[in-house]
Amino acid sequence: MFPSQTPLALPSSAFIRAAGITRDSLPIAWCEFDQNHWHSDLHQAWHLPLPESLQGAVKKRKAEHLASRWLVQQSVAQLGLPGFILRNAPDRSPLWPAGMQGSLSHTHNIAVVAATREPLSLGVDVEQVMAEETAEETADLLMSKHEKRRLLAQPLPFAQAATLLFSLKESLYKALWPQLHQPMDFLQAELVGLDITQGIAQLRLTHDFSTAFASNTRLQARFWLHAGHVTTLLIHPLPTK
């Protein structure tokens, strides 16, 4: 799924179909899963309990939870903490180990996770490419006129470009939430740089969130365009105390 990666050992169940981790300085772990092979016994067998809040959820939601938590466990094990179980705070944000920053995302049959001990704000996101009609209908909510012109100038179908922008802003929101605990709308950050060949983007905050994340703060991101979906990763130094 990524240009440079190492396969992860797969469990015996056919639920996890493929998995790997990139060889980048801040690696992304990923897996493909098949919800048709999910069953409740896997949670017990893999020591990844299903939360009470999801007991009545549809099969798709339970499968996404199991796949993402299995992947988190594999990713965190790479950082020296085998057997870690990711749980959620009351606001539903993930509770990572002390001294570790992380982010996870899933869409349809794919999950991605990024985790690090480095002092970084980070957000990772994966999105299925939206339909052309959806891209047109949501454009005014998602992007400014400047951003739309920038996207239309790219050698990409507009729906793929719009999905990329959506994913970049989702990654930004995930990176900022642990520091700010403030809601954020799509127009409070603007895409100001995009290099399709290198897979690099730059965003600029258009709103004063805090001293460390003031208007005009610029943040760097990477992205990968796959067949049918988009993955983005935004990293930024943690504010100094």
Side-chain angles (χ1 to χ4, degrees):
M1 193 166 102
F2 293 90
S4 177
Q5 60 187 359
T6 300
L8 289 173
L10 301 181
S12 56
S13 167
F15 173 62
I16 303 293
R17 300 190 304 187
I21 187 165
T22 66
R23 299 192 187 104
D24 299 318
S25 57
L26 201 163
I28 296 177
W30 64 273
C31 73
E32 293 182 5
F33 60 94
D34 184 348
Q35 73 175 47
N36 294 319
H37 287 280
W38 173 89
H39 55 86
S40 58
D41 293 346
L42 290 177
H43 291 272
Q44 183 174 0
W46 295 356
H47 305 289
L48 292 168
L50 185 68
E52 184 67 30
S53 61
L54 292 180
Q55 293 294 333
V58 297
K59 185 176 182 179
K60 176 179 180 293
R61 182 69 188 91
K62 293 176 179 178
E64 290 170 344
H65 183 274
L66 179 60
S68 62
R69 267 53 183 182
W70 176 86
L71 189 61
V72 165
Q73 197 167 81
Q74 310 314 303
S75 182
V76 172
Q78 304 284 324
L79 298 174
L81 284 176
F84 172 71
I85 299 175
L86 182 68
R87 304 186 191 277
N88 290 83
D91 65 1
R92 297 178 62 190
S93 61
L95 293 171
W96 298 93
M100 187 179 296
Q101 287 68 239
S103 182
L104 74 156
S105 181
H106 50 73
T107 182
H108 294 269
N109 66 332
I110 297 170
V112 294
V113 171
T116 183
R117 292 186 183 276
E118 297 298 318
L120 297 170
S121 302
L122 72 128
V124 70
D125 187 65
V126 60
E127 298 289 340
Q128 203 78 7
V129 174
M130 63 181 73
E132 288 285 348
E133 182 179 358
T134 303
E136 293 292 347
E137 290 176 349
T138 59
D140 290 344
L141 297 174
L142 175 60
M143 63 191 73
S144 67
K145 293 180 180 179
H146 295 297
E147 289 176 305
K148 188 170 185 178
R149 283 197 296 269
R150 186 180 296 276
L151 295 183
L152 289 171
Q154 303 302 318
L156 299 174
F158 182 67
Q160 187 181 31
T163 304
L164 172 58
L165 180 64
F166 177 86
S167 186
L168 286 167
K169 292 189 177 184
E170 282 290 300
S171 284
L172 173 62
Y173 176 78
K174 291 178 181 182
L176 267 57
W177 175 260
Q179 316 307 321
L180 303 174
H181 294 280
Q182 294 181 38
M184 179 179 183
D185 69 44
F186 289 118
L187 298 183
Q188 289 177 329
E190 182 180 26
L191 179 69
V192 293
L194 188 65
D195 187 325
I196 298 296
T197 304
Q198 297 296 320
I200 298 172
Q202 185 180 79
L203 294 101
R204 178 182 65 86
L205 298 182
T206 60
H207 177 79
D208 282 316
F209 290 99
S210 70
T211 303
F213 295 102
S215 181
N216 289 319
T217 299
R218 300 203 173 212
L219 304 101
Q220 308 298 321
R222 297 185 62 195
F223 62 88
W224 296 263
L225 303 176
H226 316 283
H229 67 280
V230 170
T231 305
T232 58
L233 173 68
L234 186 139
I235 56 176
H236 190 76
L238 281 173
T240 55
K241 295 182 180 180

